[in-house]
Amino acid sequence: NLHHPNINEFLGQCEDLSIVTELAMNGDLRSYCLKERPHLSFTDMLSFCAQISRGMSYPEGKKTNCYNYFLLE
């Protein structure tokens, strides 16, 4: 139901309650930022913030019967 370029699609859940999402080519954002920190500009970081904001605000405008969980660290 929630297809948006700034949301990783939820694919399922394992018996140990871990979640399965679509593959992110560069891994999770936190690890990517730590690895690429010397090469990231302020504009890059601001772009990440804008993308996260768009992804988190998208479900609010949708009427859906599912619960939406966002894990931010």
Side-chain angles (χ1 to χ4, degrees), residues 22-49:
E22 66 180 310
L23 178 65
M25 289 181 65
N26 293 312
D28 66 277
L29 181 60
R30 181 177 187 271
S31 297
Y32 177 79
C33 287
L34 289 173
K35 183 176 103 179
E36 297 296 324
R37 179 177 279 167
H39 309 293
L40 294 175
S41 68
F42 178 76
T43 305
D44 293 329
M45 298 301 283
L46 195 58
S47 174
F48 293 153
C49 292

Side-chain angles (χ1 to χ4, degrees), residues 1 3 7 13 21 28-29 38 41-42 49 54-57 63:
N1 266 6
H3 297 286
I7 297 177
Q13 182 177 348
T21 63
D28 66 277
L29 181 60
S41 68
F42 178 76
C49 292
R54 284 192 296 271
M56 291 195 66
S57 63
K63 295 188 186 213

